[in-house]
Amino acid sequence: NNPDLQEIHDFLVDLAFKAGKTINGALPTVSSTDSKKNSSDLVTEYDRAVEQQVSTALKEKYPQYDFHGEETYDPAHPLTDAPTFIVDPIDGTVNFVHGFPSVCISLGFAVKRAPVVGVVFNPFTQTLYSAIRGKGAYLNKTTKLPLKGTNVEPLRGLSNSLIAVEWGSDRSGQNFETKVRTFEKLGKTREEGGAMVHSMRSLGSAALNLCSVAAGTLDLYWEGGCWAWDVCAGWVILTEAGGIIVDANPGEWTPRLDSRKYLAVRGSPNGEGQKEIVEEFWSHVQGRL
Ligand code: IPD
């Protein structure tokens, strides 16, 4: 039988508020923080504790569904088609450690690898984004996204855009080279072959970047290197707000949830300018992620 998406949504919202209390009660420090692979790939005892809290509650309530979480991820068990909770207990761990208030818990649910429920909660600012496939996306349960409602402007090309990018936690190799060279191209003047975007921002959380694109306060978000748990919840919120998501590398219009490379574009009246801005963005990507 089919999962009850409304019930799952309500349960995830409740769980996000509970986990938010754990996050707000935490006192992380830079010196007590572990790194996974390098000095920018951080994990705290709170990431592990929140994942434990969330996975225990989900396994008790929904023992029939799979669980895929950042802190317990095992490469021997990649995503499958089964209904799966996809969870990042603390997205924005670097911010969390520094006390920079761009941090969230990201709770997603996917069926056949398609995200269908998303709940993203920033406990520092008490901001909740949520969506169920086919039922719209909301801020704090009642304000429909995008925030500008019927006044959403059509997209007007890269040079009129505010774009989210991230350094990410992997700072070497081809992925990093492609990012840095693309950032330069995006920022540079048009006379010098660049796109000269309005500017670039990094919220330090993939989920919050996606929610800001859903809200319409950012126009695009380009990312290579993050994981399904960083994007699953935000994906539903974005697409329910009229946004689209494609591959970060040129040419791939249908990205996989676990492809680790994404380009998100905000909603626009009748989708006007979405495809064009994707193609324009792709023309500035310097290499392959
Ligand atoms: C990170 C954030 C960041 C993204 C990194 C992720 P974490 O997640 O989402 O925005 O660029 O790739 O690893 O480690 O804070 O959960």
Side-chain angles (χ1 to χ4, degrees):
N1 51 3
N2 287 338
D4 179 340
L5 300 186
Q6 184 67 55
E7 187 201 76
I8 289 172
H9 167 274
D10 296 351
F11 190 78
L12 292 180
V13 168
D14 192 51
L15 202 49
F17 289 152
K18 287 183 181 142
K21 290 205 173 102
T22 308
I23 296 172
N24 278 349
L27 290 170
T29 56
V30 174
S31 49
S32 67
T33 298
D34 298 336
S35 49
K36 289 194 251 188
K37 278 193 318 244
N38 59 52
S39 65
S40 64
D41 195 3
L42 305 184
V43 60
T44 69
E45 61 186 287
Y46 304 104
D47 295 69
R48 299 189 182 105
V50 173
E51 182 158 320
Q52 177 73 41
Q53 179 182 4
V54 168
S55 68
T56 304
L58 287 174
K59 282 172 191 165
E60 198 179 300
K61 171 85 176 163
Y62 295 110
Q64 70 274 40
Y65 301 142
D66 285 356
F67 179 88
H68 198 77
E70 173 168 22
E71 307 312 330
T72 47
Y73 171 64
D74 174 357
H77 295 105
L79 265 189
T80 68
D81 277 357
T84 306
F85 290 106
I86 304 181
V87 168
D88 190 346
I90 301 183
D91 187 32
T93 304
V94 171
N95 290 338
F96 173 64
V97 167
H98 288 268
F100 187 78
S102 179
V103 171
C104 65
I105 169 157
S106 172
L107 303 172
F109 182 64
V111 177
K112 297 203 171 85
R113 298 171 209 240
V116 290
V117 179
V119 169
V120 171
F121 179 56
N122 180 339
F124 288 178
T125 59
Q126 295 288 308
T127 313
L128 174 77
Y129 299 92
S130 62
I132 301 171
R133 189 162 75 181
K135 295 199 168 166
Y138 291 87
L139 169 69
N140 296 330
K141 292 186 184 168
T142 48
T143 306
K144 204 159 178 359
L145 298 176
L147 285 180
K148 290 167 189 165
T150 50
N151 286 330
V152 179
E153 285 186 274
L155 288 152
R156 294 263 181 252
L158 271 189
S159 67
N160 287 305
S161 300
L162 185 61
I163 295 180
V165 294
E166 292 287 342
W167 292 104
S169 52
D170 198 348
R171 305 285 169 80
S172 62
Q174 185 181 324
N175 190 63
F176 190 65
E177 273 294 305
T178 301
K179 279 189 175 181
V180 174
R181 289 171 50 223
T182 303
F183 296 167
E184 186 188 7
K185 192 87 171 10
L186 291 172
K188 221 194 273 199
T189 63
R190 288 165 87 84
E191 291 72 31
E192 290 176 83
M196 200 161 157
V197 297
H198 273 175
S199 199
M200 287 177 264
R201 299 285 180 263
S202 297
L203 299 184
S205 150
L208 290 176
N209 284 329
L210 287 171
C211 289
S212 295
V213 179
T217 52
L218 290 173
D219 297 297
L220 291 101
Y221 168 38
W222 183 66
E223 172 74 77
C226 67
W227 299 80
W229 49 77
D230 295 308
V231 298
C232 180
W235 188 307
V236 194
I237 295 163
L238 172 78
T239 51
E240 283 302 313
I244 60 167
I245 187 155
V246 301
D247 199 284
N249 281 328
E252 278 295 327
W253 288 96
T254 38
R256 288 194 338 266
L257 176 54
D258 56 355
S259 72
R260 305 189 57 202
K261 300 172 267 111
Y262 318 92
L263 172 61
V265 180
R266 71 160 169 83
S268 175
N270 303 314
E272 198 181 319
Q274 283 180 321
K275 291 225 158 88
E276 290 78 0
I277 211 165
V278 165
E279 277 167 346
E280 191 187 357
F281 193 100
W282 280 344
S283 76
H284 288 284
V285 175
Q286 301 295 296
R288 301 279 301 171
L289 289 171

